[in-house]
Amino acid sequence: MSPSMDVDNQIAKLMVELSRSQDYEIGDGTTGVVVMAGALLEQAEKLLERGIHPIRIAEGYEMASRIAVEHLEHISQKFEFSVSNIEPLVQTCMTTLSSKIVNRCKRMLAEIAVKAVLAVADLERKDVNLDLIKIEGKVGGKLEDTELVYGITVDKDMSHPQMPKRIEDAKIAILTCPFEPPKPKTKHKVDIDTVEKFQTLRQQEQKYFDDMVQKCKDVGATLVICQWGFDDEANHLLMHRNLPAVRWVGGVELELIAIATGGRIVPRFQELTPEKLGRAGLVREKSFGTTKDRMLYIEQCANSRAVTIFIRGGNKMIIEETKRSLHDALCVARNLIRNNSIVYGGGSAEISCSIAVEAAADRYPGIEQYAIRSFAEALDSVPMALAENSGLQPIDTLTAVKSQQIKDSNPYCGIDCNDVGMNDMQEQNVFETLIGKRQQIFLATQVVKMILKIDDVIAPSDY
Protein backbone atom coordinates (compact mmCIF):
# COMPACT_ATOMS: atom_id res chain seq x y z
CA MET A 1 0.00 0.00 0.00
CA SER A 2 1.67 3.17 -1.06
CA PRO A 3 1.68 6.14 1.28
CA SER A 4 0.42 8.27 -1.58
CA MET A 5 -3.06 6.77 -1.41
CA ASP A 6 -5.57 9.47 -0.69
CA VAL A 7 -8.23 7.90 1.44
CA ASP A 8 -11.27 9.73 2.73
CA ASN A 9 -12.84 7.18 4.97
CA GLN A 10 -11.46 7.51 8.50
CA ILE A 11 -11.21 3.80 9.10
CA ALA A 12 -9.52 3.24 5.77
CA LYS A 13 -7.00 5.87 6.83
CA LEU A 14 -6.28 3.82 9.93
CA MET A 15 -5.79 0.80 7.69
CA VAL A 16 -3.22 2.64 5.59
CA GLU A 17 -1.43 3.68 8.77
CA LEU A 18 -1.61 0.10 9.98
CA SER A 19 0.05 -1.22 6.86
CA ARG A 20 2.65 1.51 7.17
CA SER A 21 3.53 0.66 10.75
CA GLN A 22 3.91 -3.01 9.82
CA ASP A 23 6.19 -1.89 7.00
CA TYR A 24 8.18 0.28 9.37
CA GLU A 25 8.57 -2.32 12.09
CA ILE A 26 9.03 -5.42 10.00
CA GLY A 27 9.15 -4.44 6.34
CA ASP A 28 7.12 -7.40 5.18
CA GLY A 29 3.61 -8.75 5.65
CA THR A 30 1.83 -5.50 4.92
CA THR A 31 -0.95 -7.20 2.99
CA GLY A 32 -1.49 -9.82 5.66
CA VAL A 33 -1.97 -7.31 8.43
CA VAL A 34 -4.67 -5.43 6.50
CA VAL A 35 -6.49 -8.64 5.57
CA MET A 36 -6.44 -9.67 9.21
CA ALA A 37 -7.74 -6.33 10.50
CA GLY A 38 -10.45 -6.30 7.86
CA ALA A 39 -11.58 -9.75 8.88
CA LEU A 40 -11.65 -8.80 12.55
CA LEU A 41 -13.84 -5.80 11.77
CA GLU A 42 -16.17 -7.94 9.68
CA GLN A 43 -16.55 -10.39 12.56
CA ALA A 44 -17.06 -7.54 15.01
CA GLU A 45 -19.95 -6.28 12.91
CA LYS A 46 -21.74 -9.61 13.25
CA LEU A 47 -21.19 -9.56 17.00
CA LEU A 48 -22.49 -6.00 17.28
CA GLU A 49 -25.63 -7.01 15.41
CA ARG A 50 -26.20 -9.61 18.10
CA GLY A 51 -26.09 -6.84 20.65
CA ILE A 52 -22.71 -7.49 22.21
CA HIS A 53 -21.09 -4.36 23.56
CA PRO A 54 -18.06 -3.14 21.58
CA ILE A 55 -15.92 -2.98 24.71
CA ARG A 56 -16.58 -6.64 25.44
CA ILE A 57 -15.64 -7.49 21.84
CA ALA A 58 -12.44 -5.53 22.20
CA GLU A 59 -11.58 -7.34 25.40
CA GLY A 60 -12.29 -10.71 23.83
CA TYR A 61 -10.09 -9.85 20.88
CA GLU A 62 -7.31 -8.81 23.21
CA MET A 63 -7.44 -12.15 25.05
CA ALA A 64 -7.57 -14.05 21.79
CA SER A 65 -4.63 -12.22 20.34
CA ARG A 66 -2.61 -13.10 23.42
CA ILE A 67 -3.49 -16.76 22.99
CA ALA A 68 -2.61 -16.61 19.30
CA VAL A 69 0.75 -14.96 19.90
CA GLU A 70 1.64 -17.44 22.63
CA HIS A 71 0.73 -20.25 20.30
CA LEU A 72 2.91 -18.77 17.58
CA GLU A 73 5.90 -18.86 19.92
CA HIS A 74 4.98 -22.44 20.67
CA ILE A 75 4.98 -23.61 17.04
CA SER A 76 7.93 -21.52 15.95
CA GLN A 77 11.29 -23.08 15.25
CA LYS A 78 14.79 -21.80 15.66
CA PHE A 79 16.51 -21.30 12.45
CA GLU A 80 20.18 -21.98 12.08
CA PHE A 81 22.39 -20.15 9.64
CA SER A 82 25.92 -18.84 9.54
CA VAL A 83 27.96 -16.63 7.30
CA SER A 84 29.25 -19.72 5.54
CA ASN A 85 25.82 -21.31 5.21
CA ILE A 86 23.42 -18.70 3.93
CA GLU A 87 21.06 -21.11 2.19
CA PRO A 88 18.35 -20.98 4.90
CA LEU A 89 18.30 -17.19 4.75
CA VAL A 90 18.02 -17.30 0.97
CA GLN A 91 15.10 -19.72 1.25
CA THR A 92 13.21 -17.34 3.52
CA CYS A 93 13.82 -14.37 1.27
CA MET A 94 12.54 -16.46 -1.62
CA THR A 95 9.29 -16.96 0.28
CA THR A 96 8.70 -13.23 0.47
CA LEU A 97 9.61 -12.73 -3.20
CA SER A 98 7.26 -15.49 -4.35
CA SER A 99 4.22 -13.29 -3.90
CA LYS A 100 5.69 -10.39 -5.84
CA ILE A 101 5.99 -9.60 -9.53
CA VAL A 102 9.66 -10.50 -9.56
CA ASN A 103 9.13 -14.14 -8.69
CA ARG A 104 10.80 -15.42 -11.84
CA CYS A 105 14.16 -14.16 -10.57
CA LYS A 106 13.45 -14.80 -6.94
CA ARG A 107 16.43 -17.07 -6.41
CA MET A 108 18.91 -14.49 -7.67
CA LEU A 109 17.28 -11.52 -5.94
CA ALA A 110 17.08 -13.44 -2.66
CA GLU A 111 20.80 -14.19 -2.83
CA ILE A 112 21.58 -10.56 -3.56
CA ALA A 113 19.45 -9.43 -0.62
CA VAL A 114 21.04 -11.88 1.79
CA LYS A 115 24.58 -11.02 0.72
CA ALA A 116 23.83 -7.32 1.00
CA VAL A 117 22.43 -7.70 4.50
CA LEU A 118 25.31 -9.87 5.66
CA ALA A 119 27.77 -7.33 4.25
CA VAL A 120 26.40 -4.61 6.50
CA ALA A 121 25.31 -6.77 9.43
CA ASP A 122 26.88 -6.71 12.83
CA LEU A 123 26.38 -10.33 13.80
CA GLU A 124 27.72 -9.90 17.35
CA ARG A 125 25.19 -7.24 18.20
CA LYS A 126 22.55 -8.86 15.97
CA ASP A 127 21.98 -5.55 14.32
CA VAL A 128 21.67 -4.46 10.71
CA ASN A 129 21.68 -0.89 9.51
CA LEU A 130 19.68 -0.93 6.30
CA ASP A 131 20.68 2.66 5.54
CA LEU A 132 24.02 1.33 4.41
CA ILE A 133 22.35 -0.56 1.58
CA LYS A 134 21.61 1.74 -1.27
CA ILE A 135 19.15 0.56 -3.90
CA GLU A 136 19.68 2.13 -7.30
CA GLY A 137 17.68 1.39 -10.38
CA LYS A 138 18.15 2.18 -14.02
CA VAL A 139 15.80 1.45 -16.88
CA GLY A 140 17.24 -0.74 -19.59
CA GLY A 141 18.64 -4.23 -19.49
CA LYS A 142 16.69 -7.04 -17.90
CA LEU A 143 15.96 -8.07 -14.33
CA GLU A 144 18.64 -10.72 -14.58
CA ASP A 145 21.26 -7.98 -14.97
CA THR A 146 20.63 -6.78 -11.42
CA GLU A 147 23.84 -6.90 -9.43
CA LEU A 148 25.26 -6.31 -6.00
CA VAL A 149 28.16 -3.88 -5.81
CA TYR A 150 30.37 -3.95 -2.76
CA GLY A 151 30.71 -0.22 -2.69
CA ILE A 152 28.85 2.73 -4.06
CA THR A 153 27.55 3.49 -7.51
CA VAL A 154 27.23 7.09 -8.55
CA ASP A 155 25.16 7.98 -11.55
CA LYS A 156 27.84 10.26 -12.95
CA ASP A 157 30.81 9.89 -15.22
CA MET A 158 34.26 11.39 -15.28
CA SER A 159 34.06 15.04 -16.17
CA HIS A 160 36.28 14.63 -19.21
CA PRO A 161 35.93 11.76 -21.69
CA GLN A 162 39.68 11.28 -21.89
CA MET A 163 40.25 10.81 -18.21
CA PRO A 164 41.18 7.28 -17.12
CA LYS A 165 38.25 4.91 -16.76
CA ARG A 166 39.77 2.88 -13.95
CA ILE A 167 41.72 4.13 -11.01
CA GLU A 168 43.21 1.55 -8.71
CA ASP A 169 44.04 2.34 -5.14
CA ALA A 170 42.29 5.68 -5.43
CA LYS A 171 42.71 8.41 -2.87
CA ILE A 172 39.66 10.58 -3.09
CA ALA A 173 39.30 14.23 -2.23
CA ILE A 174 35.65 14.96 -1.46
CA LEU A 175 34.97 18.65 -1.92
CA THR A 176 31.91 20.75 -1.34
CA CYS A 177 33.58 23.93 -2.48
CA PRO A 178 33.50 25.09 -6.09
CA PHE A 179 36.52 23.82 -7.94
CA GLU A 180 37.26 26.79 -10.14
CA PRO A 181 38.77 30.28 -10.06
CA PRO A 182 36.67 32.80 -8.12
CA LYS A 183 34.14 34.55 -10.31
CA PRO A 184 33.79 38.31 -10.02
CA LYS A 185 30.34 39.12 -8.68
CA THR A 186 28.15 41.51 -10.61
CA LYS A 187 28.79 44.38 -8.24
CA HIS A 188 32.46 44.48 -9.15
CA LYS A 189 33.44 46.20 -12.28
CA VAL A 190 36.36 44.73 -14.15
CA ASP A 191 37.54 46.93 -16.95
CA ILE A 192 39.18 44.98 -19.69
CA ASP A 193 39.85 47.29 -22.54
CA THR A 194 43.05 45.86 -23.96
CA VAL A 195 44.13 42.40 -24.96
CA GLU A 196 46.99 42.55 -22.46
CA LYS A 197 44.61 43.01 -19.56
CA PHE A 198 42.59 40.03 -20.70
CA GLN A 199 45.73 37.95 -20.96
CA THR A 200 46.85 38.87 -17.46
CA LEU A 201 43.39 38.15 -16.04
CA ARG A 202 43.34 34.81 -17.77
CA GLN A 203 46.82 33.93 -16.62
CA GLN A 204 45.94 34.83 -13.07
CA GLU A 205 42.84 32.66 -13.19
CA GLN A 206 44.83 29.85 -14.68
CA LYS A 207 47.56 30.19 -12.10
CA TYR A 208 44.99 30.26 -9.34
CA PHE A 209 43.44 27.08 -10.67
CA ASP A 210 46.80 25.44 -11.24
CA ASP A 211 47.55 26.03 -7.60
CA MET A 212 44.29 24.35 -6.67
CA VAL A 213 45.10 21.31 -8.76
CA GLN A 214 48.63 21.23 -7.42
CA LYS A 215 47.28 21.41 -3.89
CA CYS A 216 45.14 18.32 -4.57
CA LYS A 217 48.11 16.50 -6.04
CA ASP A 218 50.33 17.48 -3.11
CA VAL A 219 48.06 15.91 -0.54
CA GLY A 220 48.09 12.79 -2.69
CA ALA A 221 44.62 12.80 -4.20
CA THR A 222 44.17 10.73 -7.35
CA LEU A 223 40.49 11.52 -7.78
CA VAL A 224 38.40 14.55 -6.97
CA ILE A 225 34.68 14.25 -6.30
CA CYS A 226 33.05 17.62 -6.21
CA GLN A 227 29.56 18.72 -5.28
CA TRP A 228 29.72 21.64 -7.68
CA GLY A 229 30.61 21.91 -11.32
CA PHE A 230 33.62 23.44 -12.97
CA ASP A 231 33.87 25.06 -16.34
CA ASP A 232 35.38 23.63 -19.47
CA GLU A 233 38.66 25.39 -19.05
CA ALA A 234 39.12 23.96 -15.59
CA ASN A 235 38.15 20.61 -16.98
CA HIS A 236 40.77 20.86 -19.67
CA LEU A 237 43.46 21.76 -17.16
CA LEU A 238 42.47 18.86 -14.93
CA MET A 239 42.80 16.57 -17.92
CA HIS A 240 46.29 17.88 -18.61
CA ARG A 241 47.42 17.63 -15.02
CA ASN A 242 46.16 14.02 -14.84
CA LEU A 243 43.69 14.62 -12.07
CA PRO A 244 40.46 12.75 -12.79
CA ALA A 245 37.39 14.45 -11.38
CA VAL A 246 33.66 13.89 -11.01
CA ARG A 247 31.35 16.84 -10.78
CA TRP A 248 27.80 17.52 -9.62
CA VAL A 249 27.59 14.69 -7.10
CA GLY A 250 24.61 15.09 -4.76
CA GLY A 251 24.93 15.61 -1.03
CA VAL A 252 23.50 12.23 0.03
CA GLU A 253 25.83 10.40 -2.29
CA LEU A 254 28.77 12.42 -1.05
CA GLU A 255 27.95 11.36 2.49
CA LEU A 256 27.72 7.73 1.49
CA ILE A 257 31.02 7.95 -0.38
CA ALA A 258 32.61 9.58 2.65
CA ILE A 259 31.31 6.84 4.95
CA ALA A 260 32.39 4.07 2.61
CA THR A 261 35.85 5.39 1.82
CA GLY A 262 36.53 6.71 5.28
CA GLY A 263 37.15 10.17 3.89
CA ARG A 264 36.11 13.55 5.18
CA ILE A 265 34.00 16.02 3.26
CA VAL A 266 36.10 19.15 2.81
CA PRO A 267 34.10 22.37 2.72
CA ARG A 268 36.97 24.78 2.19
CA PHE A 269 39.86 24.29 -0.10
CA GLN A 270 42.44 25.42 2.42
CA GLU A 271 41.49 22.59 4.75
CA LEU A 272 42.49 19.77 2.44
CA THR A 273 44.96 17.47 4.19
CA PRO A 274 46.14 13.92 3.43
CA GLU A 275 44.19 12.54 6.43
CA LYS A 276 40.91 13.71 4.95
CA LEU A 277 41.20 11.70 1.77
CA GLY A 278 38.94 8.71 1.27
CA ARG A 279 40.42 5.44 0.05
CA ALA A 280 39.00 2.95 -2.40
CA GLY A 281 40.68 -0.05 -3.97
CA LEU A 282 39.07 0.52 -7.33
CA VAL A 283 37.11 3.29 -8.95
CA ARG A 284 35.84 2.37 -12.38
CA GLU A 285 33.49 3.80 -14.90
CA LYS A 286 31.15 1.32 -16.46
CA SER A 287 28.99 1.89 -19.49
CA PHE A 288 26.11 -0.39 -20.32
CA GLY A 289 22.91 -0.63 -22.23
CA THR A 290 22.28 0.53 -25.75
CA THR A 291 22.17 4.09 -24.46
CA LYS A 292 25.75 3.76 -23.18
CA ASP A 293 24.81 5.19 -19.83
CA ARG A 294 27.90 5.57 -17.73
CA MET A 295 28.16 5.09 -14.02
CA LEU A 296 30.96 5.21 -11.53
CA TYR A 297 31.54 2.25 -9.29
CA ILE A 298 33.54 2.92 -6.14
CA GLU A 299 34.57 -0.48 -4.83
CA GLN A 300 36.79 -2.18 -2.28
CA CYS A 301 36.40 0.74 0.06
CA ALA A 302 38.33 1.16 3.27
CA ASN A 303 35.10 0.84 5.20
CA SER A 304 33.38 -1.71 3.03
CA ARG A 305 30.16 -1.81 5.00
CA ALA A 306 28.25 0.16 2.41
CA VAL A 307 26.84 -1.80 -0.52
CA THR A 308 24.67 -0.92 -3.46
CA ILE A 309 22.07 -3.07 -5.14
CA PHE A 310 21.84 -1.99 -8.71
CA ILE A 311 18.57 -2.97 -10.39
CA ARG A 312 17.98 -3.18 -14.11
CA GLY A 313 14.54 -3.56 -15.60
CA GLY A 314 12.57 -3.06 -18.75
CA ASN A 315 10.53 -0.11 -17.52
CA LYS A 316 10.13 2.18 -14.58
CA MET A 317 7.31 0.24 -13.01
CA ILE A 318 9.27 -2.99 -12.88
CA ILE A 319 12.18 -1.20 -11.27
CA GLU A 320 10.01 0.45 -8.63
CA GLU A 321 8.28 -2.84 -7.91
CA THR A 322 11.63 -4.63 -7.65
CA LYS A 323 12.86 -1.97 -5.23
CA ARG A 324 9.82 -2.55 -3.06
CA SER A 325 10.15 -6.33 -3.22
CA LEU A 326 13.85 -6.18 -2.44
CA HIS A 327 13.11 -3.93 0.49
CA ASP A 328 10.85 -6.67 1.85
CA ALA A 329 13.51 -9.31 1.29
CA LEU A 330 16.15 -7.16 2.99
CA CYS A 331 13.87 -6.66 5.97
CA VAL A 332 13.18 -10.38 6.22
CA ALA A 333 16.89 -11.14 6.27
CA ARG A 334 17.42 -8.39 8.83
CA ASN A 335 14.65 -9.70 11.07
CA LEU A 336 16.11 -13.20 11.00
CA ILE A 337 19.47 -11.84 12.07
CA ARG A 338 17.76 -9.99 14.90
CA ASN A 339 15.65 -12.95 15.94
CA ASN A 340 16.07 -16.28 14.25
CA SER A 341 12.71 -17.85 15.06
CA ILE A 342 10.46 -18.73 12.14
CA VAL A 343 6.92 -19.96 11.59
CA TYR A 344 5.73 -21.65 8.44
CA GLY A 345 3.95 -19.72 5.72
CA GLY A 346 1.14 -20.52 3.34
CA GLY A 347 -1.37 -19.60 6.03
CA SER A 348 -0.30 -22.57 8.15
CA ALA A 349 0.57 -20.42 11.17
CA GLU A 350 -2.78 -18.63 11.04
CA ILE A 351 -4.71 -21.89 10.75
CA SER A 352 -2.82 -23.35 13.67
CA CYS A 353 -3.47 -20.26 15.79
CA SER A 354 -7.09 -20.32 14.78
CA ILE A 355 -7.42 -23.90 16.05
CA ALA A 356 -5.68 -22.97 19.31
CA VAL A 357 -7.86 -19.89 19.86
CA GLU A 358 -11.02 -21.84 19.06
CA ALA A 359 -10.03 -24.47 21.62
CA ALA A 360 -9.27 -21.83 24.23
CA ALA A 361 -12.65 -20.13 23.79
CA ASP A 362 -14.35 -22.83 25.83
CA ARG A 363 -12.33 -21.85 28.87
CA TYR A 364 -14.00 -18.43 29.04
CA PRO A 365 -17.54 -18.53 30.39
CA GLY A 366 -18.43 -14.89 29.75
CA ILE A 367 -19.63 -12.98 26.72
CA GLU A 368 -16.01 -12.72 25.63
CA GLN A 369 -16.02 -16.25 24.32
CA TYR A 370 -18.07 -15.12 21.32
CA ALA A 371 -15.43 -12.54 20.49
CA ILE A 372 -12.69 -15.13 20.92
CA ARG A 373 -14.45 -17.49 18.52
CA SER A 374 -14.82 -14.67 16.03
CA PHE A 375 -11.12 -13.96 16.33
CA ALA A 376 -10.41 -17.57 15.43
CA GLU A 377 -12.64 -17.20 12.41
CA ALA A 378 -10.90 -14.01 11.39
CA LEU A 379 -7.54 -15.76 11.53
CA ASP A 380 -8.81 -18.04 8.81
CA SER A 381 -9.19 -15.11 6.45
CA VAL A 382 -5.49 -15.07 5.54
CA PRO A 383 -5.36 -18.68 4.33
CA MET A 384 -8.74 -18.08 2.66
CA ALA A 385 -7.34 -15.16 0.73
CA LEU A 386 -4.30 -17.21 -0.21
CA ALA A 387 -6.45 -20.04 -1.49
CA GLU A 388 -8.65 -17.67 -3.43
CA ASN A 389 -5.70 -15.90 -5.01
CA SER A 390 -4.24 -19.22 -6.04
CA GLY A 391 -7.46 -20.15 -7.82
CA LEU A 392 -8.41 -22.89 -5.36
CA GLN A 393 -11.82 -23.42 -3.80
CA PRO A 394 -11.39 -21.28 -0.68
CA ILE A 395 -13.72 -23.00 1.76
CA ASP A 396 -13.06 -26.59 0.70
CA THR A 397 -9.33 -26.06 0.71
CA LEU A 398 -9.38 -24.40 4.10
CA THR A 399 -11.49 -27.06 5.78
CA ALA A 400 -9.32 -29.80 4.28
CA VAL A 401 -6.11 -28.23 5.54
CA LYS A 402 -7.65 -27.49 8.91
CA SER A 403 -8.84 -31.02 9.49
CA GLN A 404 -5.46 -32.29 8.35
CA GLN A 405 -3.73 -30.07 10.92
CA ILE A 406 -6.03 -31.35 13.66
CA LYS A 407 -5.79 -34.97 12.58
CA ASP A 408 -1.98 -35.11 12.30
CA SER A 409 -1.52 -32.36 14.92
CA ASN A 410 0.91 -30.88 12.40
CA PRO A 411 0.96 -27.08 12.56
CA TYR A 412 2.90 -26.85 9.31
CA CYS A 413 0.06 -27.66 6.92
CA GLY A 414 -0.86 -24.69 4.79
CA ILE A 415 -2.42 -23.73 1.50
CA ASP A 416 -0.58 -25.28 -1.41
CA CYS A 417 -0.32 -22.07 -3.46
CA ASN A 418 2.33 -23.32 -5.85
CA ASP A 419 0.26 -26.40 -6.57
CA VAL A 420 3.01 -28.83 -5.65
CA GLY A 421 0.51 -31.39 -4.51
CA MET A 422 1.30 -31.39 -0.79
CA ASN A 423 0.42 -29.10 2.06
CA ASP A 424 3.42 -29.46 4.31
CA MET A 425 5.02 -26.04 4.29
CA GLN A 426 8.05 -27.37 6.10
CA GLU A 427 8.83 -29.52 3.08
CA GLN A 428 7.93 -26.78 0.63
CA ASN A 429 10.35 -24.52 2.44
CA VAL A 430 7.84 -21.72 2.83
CA PHE A 431 8.38 -19.84 6.04
CA GLU A 432 8.11 -16.40 7.55
CA THR A 433 9.75 -14.69 10.46
CA LEU A 434 8.16 -15.09 13.85
CA ILE A 435 8.49 -11.41 14.73
CA GLY A 436 6.73 -10.54 11.47
CA LYS A 437 3.74 -12.75 12.17
CA ARG A 438 3.57 -11.74 15.79
CA GLN A 439 3.53 -8.08 14.83
CA GLN A 440 0.81 -8.73 12.24
CA ILE A 441 -1.58 -10.23 14.77
CA PHE A 442 -0.66 -7.67 17.41
CA LEU A 443 -1.07 -4.61 15.19
CA ALA A 444 -4.30 -5.81 13.59
CA THR A 445 -5.80 -6.39 17.03
CA GLN A 446 -4.74 -2.99 18.30
CA VAL A 447 -6.26 -1.16 15.37
CA VAL A 448 -9.54 -3.04 15.59
CA LYS A 449 -9.76 -2.36 19.32
CA MET A 450 -9.22 1.30 18.60
CA ILE A 451 -11.95 1.34 15.97
CA LEU A 452 -14.37 -0.51 18.23
CA LYS A 453 -13.91 2.07 20.94
CA ILE A 454 -14.72 4.96 18.61
CA ASP A 455 -18.44 5.43 18.25
CA ASP A 456 -18.71 8.02 15.58
CA VAL A 457 -16.21 10.15 13.80
CA ILE A 458 -17.15 13.79 13.36
CA ALA A 459 -15.20 15.47 10.62
CA PRO A 460 -13.95 18.90 11.74
CA SER A 461 -15.61 20.50 8.72
CA ASP A 462 -19.08 19.74 10.02
CA TYR A 463 -19.05 22.43 12.69
Side-chain angles (χ1 to χ4, degrees), residues 4 126 164 302 330 396:
S4 55
K126 291 200 167 200
L330 289 172
D396 301 355

Side-chain angles (χ1 to χ4, degrees), residues 200-248:
T200 41
L201 180 74
R202 186 159 172 267
Q203 273 163 349
Q204 270 173 323
E205 283 199 344
Q206 194 169 346
K207 178 173 180 312
Y208 183 88
F209 190 72
D210 263 350
D211 290 349
M212 278 179 135
V213 175
Q214 203 43 51
K215 171 99 184 158
C216 289
K217 299 226 96 163
D218 288 346
V219 293
T222 54
L223 173 68
V224 176
I225 293 182
C226 186
Q227 191 173 7
W228 304 109
F230 25 80
D231 49 23
D232 293 343
E233 193 176 347
N235 208 350
H236 181 77
L237 285 167
L238 282 171
M239 219 313 284
H240 271 280
R241 304 279 184 290
N242 283 334
L243 185 60
V246 185
R247 52 185 165 181
W248 299 124

Side-chain angles (χ1 to χ4, degrees), residues 163-346:
M163 288 176 179
K165 300 275 180 265
R166 273 179 85 88
I167 306 167
E168 293 186 9
D169 225 4
K171 299 189 178 49
I172 307 171
I174 305 171
L175 304 175
T176 51
C177 49
F179 199 32
E180 56 193 355
K183 295 265 185 287
K185 296 276 187 293
T186 43
K187 285 181 183 159
H188 303 296
K189 195 161 164 236
V190 181
D191 274 335
I192 301 179
D193 41 17
T194 64
V195 179
E196 285 77 28
K197 281 191 183 168
F198 179 72
Q199 295 290 36
T200 41
L201 180 74
R202 186 159 172 267
Q203 273 163 349
Q204 270 173 323
E205 283 199 344
Q206 194 169 346
K207 178 173 180 312
Y208 183 88
F209 190 72
D210 263 350
D211 290 349
M212 278 179 135
V213 175
Q214 203 43 51
K215 171 99 184 158
C216 289
K217 299 226 96 163
D218 288 346
V219 293
T222 54
L223 173 68
V224 176
I225 293 182
C226 186
Q227 191 173 7
W228 304 109
F230 25 80
D231 49 23
D232 293 343
E233 193 176 347
N235 208 350
H236 181 77
L237 285 167
L238 282 171
M239 219 313 284
H240 271 280
R241 304 279 184 290
N242 283 334
L243 185 60
V246 185
R247 52 185 165 181
W248 299 124
V249 178
V252 185
E253 291 176 320
L254 273 182
E255 282 178 26
L256 267 171
I257 293 172
I259 294 172
T261 59
R264 283 294 187 74
I265 295 178
V266 180
R268 286 216 302 284
F269 218 85
Q270 295 76 28
E271 299 175 6
L272 195 58
T273 59
E275 299 78 75
K276 292 188 177 172
L277 296 179
R279 284 159 201 283
L282 177 62
V283 177
R284 62 197 170 98
E285 191 184 276
K286 186 174 172 187
S287 55
F288 40 69
T290 41
T291 49
K292 284 289 169 265
D293 270 333
R294 296 204 293 272
M295 305 222 359
L296 270 187
Y297 284 42
I298 302 175
E299 296 177 299
Q300 300 164 16
C301 305
N303 177 8
S304 64
R305 309 226 14 196
V307 295
T308 305
I309 297 177
F310 183 54
I311 302 171
R312 306 305 309 276
N315 55 32
K316 198 149 172 52
M317 183 204 82
I318 289 282
I319 287 185
E320 288 308 312
E321 193 50 41
T322 311
K323 278 187 183 173
R324 220 177 57 85
S325 312
L326 262 173
H327 168 77
D328 286 5
L330 289 172
C331 291
V332 167
R334 175 194 67 185
N335 294 337
L336 277 178
I337 287 176
R338 281 196 187 154
N339 174 348
N340 63 350
S341 300
I342 52 165
V343 292
Y344 286 86

